[in-house]
Amino acid sequence: MLPLIAGNWKMNMDIDQGAALVFRLRDLLRNVQAVEIVIAPPFTSLHHLNHLLADSGIKLAGQDLFWEKSGAYTGEISGEMLKSTGCKYVIVGHSERRQLFGETDETVRRKVVAALRHGLKPIVCVGETLDEREAGKTLSRVRTQVSGALSGLAGSAMKEVTIAYEPVWAIGTGKTAKSQEAEEVHNFIRELLHELFDRESVRNVRIIYGGSVKPDNIDELMAQPNIDGALVGGASLKAEDFARIAGFQRL
Ligand code: PGA
């Protein structure tokens, strides 16, 4: 499986700023090979940026979706709409959605199902808070989130799914989990997938890490056996930083 490096722009970049970033990225990422690169701009820029990304190999992701197909859901965006902008991926259950917008393991599950129904590859985010880590509850929290998000899925759907382990205390704080700490949880998620599905179906599921990923920690993170990529927030807004992350050195 190719490593996946995804940039989550969050609520940053208007259309012109996004276009400028994409031009820089196209240039800087031209020679990066054997890595799948995805960016998740705000909904309002997706259609425009899709044209600017043509032939670049860089793929688009939505930052969220709603599970209904259409209807009276003011403010929501469906999987079908994302698909029509050119998205291939969608981030689901980001901790900011869980903390600020009341998402639960059940809403995350419904969104994963909707993404798959519309041919979008979900990047399912899980991760413990600082309180949970300090109380020794990291693995039980992650277990609940992963099994909740994937419950009822057929093994055959798993080839489309990516899991992003993002410890909440490491997001936007400059504190990265030590690569060994992250690896421990990634390994736990890998074992959990083997428990929930047959081995063959989950062989190529990527488990990517997120939380203050930067040019100076990506190489060490990617050297861990169960870290298959990164979900990058802040550093994805700087073309040089994101390009360095996507072009990580294999140690
Ligand atoms: P960060 O965000 O890289 O700014 O910590 C990561 C994320 O929220 O996906």
Side-chain angles (χ1 to χ4, degrees):
M1 68 184 117
L2 282 185
L4 173 67
I5 303 291
N8 174 10
W9 292 9
K10 309 193 180 184
M11 197 176 74
N12 295 293
M13 302 277 160
D14 64 18
I15 292 180
D16 290 341
Q17 292 166 327
L21 181 52
V22 158
F23 279 123
R24 278 299 284 142
L25 287 177
R26 280 193 67 127
D27 192 36
L28 291 167
L29 293 170
R30 215 171 3 186
N31 297 320
V32 174
Q33 276 164 5
V35 178
E36 195 171 356
I37 301 171
V38 171
I39 56 172
F43 294 137
T44 43
S45 298
L46 289 170
H47 178 66
H48 183 58
L49 296 184
N50 186 43
H51 291 294
L52 301 184
L53 288 171
D55 307 323
S56 68
I58 302 170
K59 295 174 186 147
L60 274 183
Q63 295 180 14
D64 185 25
L65 82 166
F66 189 53
W67 55 78
E68 293 292 343
K69 197 163 177 259
S70 61
Y73 304 104
T74 302
E76 295 297 326
I77 301 282
S78 72
E80 194 165 85
M81 291 169 183
L82 288 181
K83 196 76 188 169
S84 75
T85 66
C87 281
K88 299 277 188 282
Y89 282 84
V90 62
I91 298 171
V92 180
H94 189 278
S95 66
E96 286 149 17
R97 304 283 330 157
R98 293 176 189 258
Q99 289 196 311
L100 304 172
F101 302 99
E103 296 212 8
T104 63
D105 292 335
E106 173 55 15
T107 61
V108 172
R109 187 193 66 76
R110 295 179 78 166
K111 290 180 176 197
V112 169
V113 171
L116 292 168
R117 193 170 56 233
H118 292 290
L120 292 163
K121 297 170 190 278
I123 300 174
V124 184
C125 302
V126 300
E128 81 287 2
T129 62
L130 186 57
D131 282 353
E132 287 162 346
R133 174 158 283 260
E134 286 174 347
K137 293 186 181 148
T138 299
L139 300 182
S140 62
R141 183 74 191 108
V142 168
R143 168 183 280 276
T144 308
Q145 289 174 323
V146 172
S147 41
L150 305 180
S151 117
L153 286 192
S156 56
M158 287 304 294
K159 61 180 184 309
E160 310 297 340
V161 174
T162 298
I163 310 282
Y165 169 58
E166 300 203 296
V168 177
W169 48 272
I171 294 178
T173 57
K175 282 189 214 157
T176 331
K178 291 191 192 71
S179 50
Q180 195 47 49
E181 258 172 350
E183 168 60 21
E184 205 179 294
V185 181
H186 282 236
N187 184 52
F188 173 78
I189 296 172
R190 184 83 62 205
E191 295 299 321
L192 176 58
L193 292 176
H194 290 154
E195 218 179 277
L196 298 173
F197 301 94
D198 65 282
R199 255 170 202 271
E200 194 50 37
S201 318
V202 293
R203 183 186 297 284
N204 292 322
V205 173
R206 288 176 293 198
I207 306 173
I208 65 177
Y209 171 80
S212 297
V213 173
K214 301 279 182 288
D216 63 7
N217 56 28
I218 185 68
D219 300 342
E220 205 191 317
L221 286 163
M222 291 304 293
Q224 301 301 316
N226 287 294
I227 298 186
D228 308 314
L231 183 54
V232 186
S236 72
L237 302 173
K238 297 182 201 131
E240 283 71 17
D241 285 6
F242 189 64
R244 170 65 182 83
I245 291 168
F248 65 90
Q249 302 294 308
R250 287 160 165 92
L251 297 180

